[in-house]
Amino acid sequence: MSFQAMIFTACLFPFYILAATLTNSSAILSDLLATSFDLTALTACWLVLRIAHGNHTGRYAYGLGKLENLAELMIAVLQSILVIIAATQAISRLFHPEGVSGALFGLFVTAAAVIGNMVLNRRAMRLAVETKSPVLAAQARVHLVSAISSGAVFAVTVITSIFNDIHWLFYLDPLASFVVIGFMIYNILAMLTNSVGSLLDRAIDEASQLLILKVLTSHFDDFAELGDIRTRQFGGKMFVELHLGFEDGWTMAHTRSVVAGLVEAVQTAFREAGDEVEVAVVLIPGHAAH
């Protein structure tokens, strides 16, 4: 999915450069900068997902969620630089407005961008929900913002090209740039909020903790002592560590069987709630199996 999106944006990018060269539209230039961000972001998404599904991920017992969030943070920083460039150009055009010319090719490019990004947004959103990947969620957001931005640029460029003799309409072009910039800022804030929050280990939500307690209550006769229940969540993944004590007379085989049943019960409860969780059981000292 990320590879296809990257290829689509890479193919679109040179046409955006040509469109920005042929026209004097500030809006199309801003859309070009946004597309350059998209290309970098999608390339980062593809690289991260490729690493995450590589052959040597077994050494990362807790997954590569933090790598995904770091990539998202890097994308937000890059987009901040592009926002400054686009804003500078738009402000300059706002003080010195002029009519848009040579925008016919740019209209075809922005129309293609709208259609392509909407299709890719729907596919990325569906996969993000299925896999709970922050990278795919960020990718879906990138496509949505790009589609809306390109749509706004397309509409404004059509108006300014048709009514090129109406002076006050000249301001629509830089105003469309600010629309694109606004969506880019929204994207930056969403990425920063998600990535920074996910980089910090935190306990899972109360509803999920209640699921654990419900399962332990229903399997109360399967263990002799309940110690700590430690949970953590980062990178779209949840982990549960149960500290349990078992009867001293149990064999190792029987203890393993009970532990496997408890782990499966907790995972099933989360799965029915639409979540995935990794469960580990830690034996409380003094309750070793023989």
Side-chain angles (χ1 to χ4, degrees), residues 62 201-206 208-210 212 228-234 237-243 266 270 277-278:
Y62 289 100
D201 290 354
R202 62 185 187 275
I204 62 178
D205 58 79
E206 293 183 1
S208 298
Q209 294 185 37
L210 287 175
I212 300 171
D228 295 334
I229 300 177
R230 298 177 180 176
T231 64
R232 62 193 305 209
Q233 180 177 0
F234 62 82
K237 301 180 183 297
M238 291 188 288
F239 303 90
V240 174
E241 188 176 275
L242 304 175
H243 291 241
V266 174
F270 274 79
V277 65
E278 294 290 335

mmCIF file of all heavy atoms in Angstrom, residues 62 201-206 208-210 212 228-234 237-243 266 270 277-278:
data_model
loop_
_atom_site.group_PDB
_atom_site.id
_atom_site.type_symbol
_atom_site.label_atom_id
_atom_site.label_comp_id
_atom_site.label_asym_id
_atom_site.label_seq_id
_atom_site.Cartn_x
_atom_site.Cartn_y
_atom_site.Cartn_z
ATOM 1 N N TYR A 62 9.169 -6.082 21.537
ATOM 2 C CA TYR A 62 8.026 -5.198 21.699
ATOM 3 C C TYR A 62 7.648 -4.506 20.397
ATOM 4 O O TYR A 62 6.936 -3.525 20.384
ATOM 5 C CB TYR A 62 8.304 -4.145 22.780
ATOM 6 C CG TYR A 62 8.331 -4.735 24.164
ATOM 7 C CD1 TYR A 62 9.538 -5.025 24.790
ATOM 8 C CD2 TYR A 62 7.150 -5.026 24.825
ATOM 9 C CE1 TYR A 62 9.556 -5.582 26.053
ATOM 10 C CE2 TYR A 62 7.159 -5.588 26.083
ATOM 11 C CZ TYR A 62 8.364 -5.860 26.698
ATOM 12 O OH TYR A 62 8.390 -6.415 27.949
ATOM 13 N N ASP A 201 5.804 5.785 27.058
ATOM 14 C CA ASP A 201 5.114 4.598 27.538
ATOM 15 C C ASP A 201 4.009 5.014 28.510
ATOM 16 O O ASP A 201 4.221 5.830 29.393
ATOM 17 C CB ASP A 201 6.086 3.669 28.267
ATOM 18 C CG ASP A 201 7.066 3.018 27.309
ATOM 19 O OD1 ASP A 201 6.900 3.210 26.093
ATOM 20 O OD2 ASP A 201 7.995 2.347 27.782
ATOM 21 N N ARG A 202 2.838 4.416 28.359
ATOM 22 C CA ARG A 202 1.732 4.737 29.255
ATOM 23 C C ARG A 202 0.871 3.497 29.446
ATOM 24 O O ARG A 202 0.908 2.565 28.639
ATOM 25 C CB ARG A 202 0.888 5.882 28.686
ATOM 26 C CG ARG A 202 0.216 5.592 27.362
ATOM 27 C CD ARG A 202 -0.482 6.836 26.831
ATOM 28 N NE ARG A 202 -1.274 6.564 25.642
ATOM 29 C CZ ARG A 202 -0.809 6.552 24.418
ATOM 30 N NH1 ARG A 202 0.476 6.787 24.218
ATOM 31 N NH2 ARG A 202 -1.587 6.305 23.385
ATOM 32 N N ALA A 203 0.096 3.505 30.509
ATOM 33 C CA ALA A 203 -0.789 2.381 30.785
ATOM 34 C C ALA A 203 -1.946 2.386 29.788
ATOM 35 O O ALA A 203 -2.311 3.427 29.237
ATOM 36 C CB ALA A 203 -1.319 2.473 32.210
ATOM 37 N N ILE A 204 -2.516 1.224 29.542
ATOM 38 C CA ILE A 204 -3.668 1.146 28.644
ATOM 39 C C ILE A 204 -4.878 1.768 29.326
ATOM 40 O O ILE A 204 -4.882 2.000 30.538
ATOM 41 C CB ILE A 204 -3.952 -0.318 28.240
ATOM 42 C CG1 ILE A 204 -4.305 -1.161 29.465
ATOM 43 C CG2 ILE A 204 -2.747 -0.910 27.528
ATOM 44 C CD1 ILE A 204 -4.651 -2.598 29.130
ATOM 45 N N ASP A 205 -5.913 2.029 28.573
ATOM 46 C CA ASP A 205 -7.070 2.749 29.107
ATOM 47 C C ASP A 205 -7.836 1.896 30.112
ATOM 48 O O ASP A 205 -7.668 0.682 30.202
ATOM 49 C CB ASP A 205 -7.993 3.182 27.960
ATOM 50 C CG ASP A 205 -8.480 1.991 27.139
ATOM 51 O OD1 ASP A 205 -9.400 1.299 27.582
ATOM 52 O OD2 ASP A 205 -7.898 1.751 26.061
ATOM 53 N N GLU A 206 -8.716 2.558 30.878
ATOM 54 C CA GLU A 206 -9.441 1.889 31.966
ATOM 55 C C GLU A 206 -10.353 0.781 31.453
ATOM 56 O O GLU A 206 -10.502 -0.260 32.104
ATOM 57 C CB GLU A 206 -10.257 2.921 32.752
ATOM 58 C CG GLU A 206 -9.403 3.916 33.527
ATOM 59 C CD GLU A 206 -10.245 4.866 34.351
ATOM 60 O OE1 GLU A 206 -11.490 4.722 34.328
ATOM 61 O OE2 GLU A 206 -9.667 5.745 35.016
ATOM 62 N N SER A 208 -9.888 -1.187 28.944
ATOM 63 C CA SER A 208 -9.082 -2.377 28.667
ATOM 64 C C SER A 208 -8.613 -3.044 29.958
ATOM 65 O O SER A 208 -8.540 -4.273 30.039
ATOM 66 C CB SER A 208 -7.868 -1.988 27.802
ATOM 67 O OG SER A 208 -8.286 -1.472 26.553
ATOM 68 N N GLN A 209 -8.302 -2.235 30.968
ATOM 69 C CA GLN A 209 -7.904 -2.804 32.256
ATOM 70 C C GLN A 209 -9.058 -3.570 32.890
ATOM 71 O O GLN A 209 -8.853 -4.605 33.543
ATOM 72 C CB GLN A 209 -7.419 -1.690 33.178
ATOM 73 C CG GLN A 209 -6.128 -1.024 32.696
ATOM 74 C CD GLN A 209 -5.604 -0.004 33.682
ATOM 75 O OE1 GLN A 209 -5.693 -0.185 34.883
ATOM 76 N NE2 GLN A 209 -5.036 1.073 33.162
ATOM 77 N N LEU A 210 -10.271 -3.072 32.701
ATOM 78 C CA LEU A 210 -11.442 -3.784 33.232
ATOM 79 C C LEU A 210 -11.633 -5.132 32.533
ATOM 80 O O LEU A 210 -12.087 -6.100 33.164
ATOM 81 C CB LEU A 210 -12.698 -2.927 33.069
ATOM 82 C CG LEU A 210 -12.808 -1.726 34.009
ATOM 83 C CD1 LEU A 210 -14.033 -0.883 33.655
ATOM 84 C CD2 LEU A 210 -12.899 -2.187 35.467
ATOM 85 N N ILE A 212 -9.216 -7.051 31.557
ATOM 86 C CA ILE A 212 -8.260 -7.958 32.198
ATOM 87 C C ILE A 212 -8.815 -8.472 33.521
ATOM 88 O O ILE A 212 -8.763 -9.671 33.814
ATOM 89 C CB ILE A 212 -6.916 -7.238 32.422
ATOM 90 C CG1 ILE A 212 -6.331 -6.778 31.088
ATOM 91 C CG2 ILE A 212 -5.929 -8.151 33.144
ATOM 92 C CD1 ILE A 212 -5.126 -5.880 31.234
ATOM 93 N N ASP A 228 1.018 -7.933 40.752
ATOM 94 C CA ASP A 228 0.874 -6.732 39.923
ATOM 95 C C ASP A 228 0.257 -7.055 38.567
ATOM 96 O O ASP A 228 0.440 -8.151 38.028
ATOM 97 C CB ASP A 228 2.241 -6.071 39.691
ATOM 98 C CG ASP A 228 2.844 -5.543 40.988
ATOM 99 O OD1 ASP A 228 2.068 -5.244 41.916
ATOM 100 O OD2 ASP A 228 4.084 -5.429 41.056
ATOM 101 N N ILE A 229 -0.467 -6.086 38.060
ATOM 102 C CA ILE A 229 -0.951 -6.123 36.676
ATOM 103 C C ILE A 229 -0.332 -4.912 35.986
ATOM 104 O O ILE A 229 -0.751 -3.771 36.206
ATOM 105 C CB ILE A 229 -2.482 -6.067 36.591
ATOM 106 C CG1 ILE A 229 -3.103 -7.243 37.332
ATOM 107 C CG2 ILE A 229 -2.929 -6.061 35.124
ATOM 108 C CD1 ILE A 229 -4.627 -7.213 37.346
ATOM 109 N N ARG A 230 0.689 -5.151 35.200
ATOM 110 C CA ARG A 230 1.405 -4.058 34.555
ATOM 111 C C ARG A 230 1.025 -3.994 33.080
ATOM 112 O O ARG A 230 1.043 -5.014 32.388
ATOM 113 C CB ARG A 230 2.916 -4.237 34.707
ATOM 114 C CG ARG A 230 3.368 -4.221 36.170
ATOM 115 C CD ARG A 230 4.843 -4.478 36.292
ATOM 116 N NE ARG A 230 5.268 -4.473 37.689
ATOM 117 C CZ ARG A 230 6.498 -4.755 38.115
ATOM 118 N NH1 ARG A 230 7.437 -5.079 37.219
ATOM 119 N NH2 ARG A 230 6.797 -4.729 39.398
ATOM 120 N N THR A 231 0.692 -2.819 32.640
ATOM 121 C CA THR A 231 0.311 -2.637 31.236
ATOM 122 C C THR A 231 1.117 -1.493 30.633
ATOM 123 O O THR A 231 1.548 -0.583 31.335
ATOM 124 C CB THR A 231 -1.188 -2.318 31.101
ATOM 125 O OG1 THR A 231 -1.465 -1.054 31.732
ATOM 126 C CG2 THR A 231 -2.032 -3.390 31.757
ATOM 127 N N ARG A 232 1.297 -1.542 29.344
ATOM 128 C CA ARG A 232 1.965 -0.462 28.634
ATOM 129 C C ARG A 232 1.421 -0.389 27.216
ATOM 130 O O ARG A 232 0.964 -1.383 26.652
ATOM 131 C CB ARG A 232 3.487 -0.675 28.619
ATOM 132 C CG ARG A 232 3.948 -1.918 27.915
ATOM 133 C CD ARG A 232 5.398 -2.265 28.178
ATOM 134 N NE ARG A 232 6.303 -1.181 27.857
ATOM 135 C CZ ARG A 232 7.561 -1.387 27.473
ATOM 136 N NH1 ARG A 232 8.026 -2.631 27.351
ATOM 137 N NH2 ARG A 232 8.365 -0.378 27.204
ATOM 138 N N GLN A 233 1.464 0.797 26.676
ATOM 139 C CA GLN A 233 0.948 1.022 25.339
ATOM 140 C C GLN A 233 1.828 2.039 24.633
ATOM 141 O O GLN A 233 2.113 3.103 25.159
ATOM 142 C CB GLN A 233 -0.495 1.549 25.408
ATOM 143 C CG GLN A 233 -1.129 1.824 24.060
ATOM 144 C CD GLN A 233 -2.567 2.270 24.193
ATOM 145 O OE1 GLN A 233 -3.098 2.368 25.291
ATOM 146 N NE2 GLN A 233 -3.210 2.544 23.078
ATOM 147 N N PHE A 234 2.273 1.687 23.451
ATOM 148 C CA PHE A 234 3.016 2.633 22.630
ATOM 149 C C PHE A 234 3.025 2.124 21.199
ATOM 150 O O PHE A 234 2.903 0.934 20.944
ATOM 151 C CB PHE A 234 4.453 2.838 23.120
ATOM 152 C CG PHE A 234 5.312 1.599 23.087
ATOM 153 C CD1 PHE A 234 5.932 1.192 21.922
ATOM 154 C CD2 PHE A 234 5.486 0.836 24.236
ATOM 155 C CE1 PHE A 234 6.728 0.057 21.887
ATOM 156 C CE2 PHE A 234 6.276 -0.300 24.210
ATOM 157 C CZ PHE A 234 6.902 -0.691 23.034
ATOM 158 N N LYS A 237 0.443 -0.390 19.941
ATOM 159 C CA LYS A 237 0.453 -1.747 20.465
ATOM 160 C C LYS A 237 0.222 -1.730 21.977
ATOM 161 O O LYS A 237 0.605 -0.789 22.666
ATOM 162 C CB LYS A 237 1.775 -2.440 20.149
ATOM 163 C CG LYS A 237 2.076 -2.521 18.653
ATOM 164 C CD LYS A 237 3.396 -3.226 18.396
ATOM 165 C CE LYS A 237 3.723 -3.249 16.915
ATOM 166 N NZ LYS A 237 2.732 -4.022 16.135
ATOM 167 N N MET A 238 -0.395 -2.807 22.478
ATOM 168 C CA MET A 238 -0.674 -2.934 23.908
ATOM 169 C C MET A 238 -0.008 -4.191 24.455
ATOM 170 O O MET A 238 0.012 -5.234 23.786
ATOM 171 C CB MET A 238 -2.183 -2.976 24.163
ATOM 172 C CG MET A 238 -2.886 -1.654 23.895
ATOM 173 S SD MET A 238 -4.621 -1.660 24.416
ATOM 174 C CE MET A 238 -5.314 -2.730 23.154
ATOM 175 N N PHE A 239 0.515 -4.074 25.674
ATOM 176 C CA PHE A 239 1.203 -5.185 26.325
ATOM 177 C C PHE A 239 0.698 -5.300 27.765
ATOM 178 O O PHE A 239 0.511 -4.293 28.445
ATOM 179 C CB PHE A 239 2.714 -4.965 26.315
ATOM 180 C CG PHE A 239 3.289 -4.774 24.938
ATOM 181 C CD1 PHE A 239 3.385 -3.509 24.383
ATOM 182 C CD2 PHE A 239 3.718 -5.865 24.193
ATOM 183 C CE1 PHE A 239 3.906 -3.331 23.115
ATOM 184 C CE2 PHE A 239 4.236 -5.690 22.924
ATOM 185 C CZ PHE A 239 4.335 -4.423 22.382
ATOM 186 N N VAL A 240 0.493 -6.538 28.191
ATOM 187 C CA VAL A 240 0.002 -6.816 29.542
ATOM 188 C C VAL A 240 0.940 -7.812 30.204
ATOM 189 O O VAL A 240 1.313 -8.820 29.599
ATOM 190 C CB VAL A 240 -1.436 -7.379 29.511
ATOM 191 C CG1 VAL A 240 -1.868 -7.805 30.917
ATOM 192 C CG2 VAL A 240 -2.395 -6.350 28.937
ATOM 193 N N GLU A 241 1.318 -7.518 31.445
ATOM 194 C CA GLU A 241 2.174 -8.412 32.221
ATOM 195 C C GLU A 241 1.451 -8.762 33.513
ATOM 196 O O GLU A 241 1.193 -7.902 34.350
ATOM 197 C CB GLU A 241 3.507 -7.719 32.518
ATOM 198 C CG GLU A 241 4.556 -8.619 33.148
ATOM 199 C CD GLU A 241 5.872 -7.901 33.337
ATOM 200 O OE1 GLU A 241 6.676 -7.852 32.395
ATOM 201 O OE2 GLU A 241 6.080 -7.361 34.447
ATOM 202 N N LEU A 242 1.124 -10.044 33.675
ATOM 203 C CA LEU A 242 0.382 -10.513 34.852
ATOM 204 C C LEU A 242 1.336 -11.231 35.799
ATOM 205 O O LEU A 242 2.020 -12.175 35.401
ATOM 206 C CB LEU A 242 -0.739 -11.472 34.428
ATOM 207 C CG LEU A 242 -1.761 -10.944 33.413
ATOM 208 C CD1 LEU A 242 -2.716 -12.048 33.009
ATOM 209 C CD2 LEU A 242 -2.512 -9.762 33.994
ATOM 210 N N HIS A 243 1.379 -10.798 37.044
ATOM 211 C CA HIS A 243 2.201 -11.444 38.069
ATOM 212 C C HIS A 243 1.289 -12.373 38.877
ATOM 213 O O HIS A 243 0.447 -11.906 39.651
ATOM 214 C CB HIS A 243 2.858 -10.399 38.969
ATOM 215 C CG HIS A 243 3.909 -9.596 38.258
ATOM 216 N ND1 HIS A 243 5.236 -9.587 38.645
ATOM 217 C CD2 HIS A 243 3.838 -8.795 37.166
ATOM 218 C CE1 HIS A 243 5.925 -8.798 37.832
ATOM 219 N NE2 HIS A 243 5.099 -8.307 36.929
ATOM 220 N N VAL A 266 -7.332 -13.731 27.872
ATOM 221 C CA VAL A 266 -7.143 -12.275 27.830
ATOM 222 C C VAL A 266 -7.090 -11.784 26.382
ATOM 223 O O VAL A 266 -7.728 -10.789 26.021
ATOM 224 C CB VAL A 266 -5.852 -11.873 28.579
ATOM 225 C CG1 VAL A 266 -5.581 -10.379 28.393
ATOM 226 C CG2 VAL A 266 -5.969 -12.192 30.063
ATOM 227 N N PHE A 270 -9.752 -9.150 24.393
ATOM 228 C CA PHE A 270 -9.325 -7.941 23.673
ATOM 229 C C PHE A 270 -9.701 -8.028 22.195
ATOM 230 O O PHE A 270 -10.108 -7.028 21.598
ATOM 231 C CB PHE A 270 -7.813 -7.752 23.817
ATOM 232 C CG PHE A 270 -7.412 -7.018 25.065
ATOM 233 C CD1 PHE A 270 -7.361 -7.657 26.295
ATOM 234 C CD2 PHE A 270 -7.095 -5.668 25.010
ATOM 235 C CE1 PHE A 270 -6.993 -6.982 27.442
ATOM 236 C CE2 PHE A 270 -6.726 -4.974 26.154
ATOM 237 C CZ PHE A 270 -6.673 -5.638 27.378
ATOM 238 N N VAL A 277 -3.445 -7.582 21.771
ATOM 239 C CA VAL A 277 -2.607 -7.370 22.940
ATOM 240 C C VAL A 277 -1.611 -8.517 23.074
ATOM 241 O O VAL A 277 -1.904 -9.663 22.711
ATOM 242 C CB VAL A 277 -3.478 -7.258 24.219
ATOM 243 C CG1 VAL A 277 -4.192 -8.576 24.502
ATOM 244 C CG2 VAL A 277 -2.647 -6.842 25.428
ATOM 245 N N GLU A 278 -0.422 -8.181 23.565
ATOM 246 C CA GLU A 278 0.574 -9.195 23.906
ATOM 247 C C GLU A 278 0.511 -9.423 25.418
ATOM 248 O O GLU A 278 0.531 -8.453 26.187
ATOM 249 C CB GLU A 278 1.967 -8.723 23.500
ATOM 250 C CG GLU A 278 2.165 -8.577 21.996
ATOM 251 C CD GLU A 278 2.199 -9.915 21.293
ATOM 252 O OE1 GLU A 278 2.546 -10.919 21.951
ATOM 253 O OE2 GLU A 278 1.878 -9.959 20.097
#
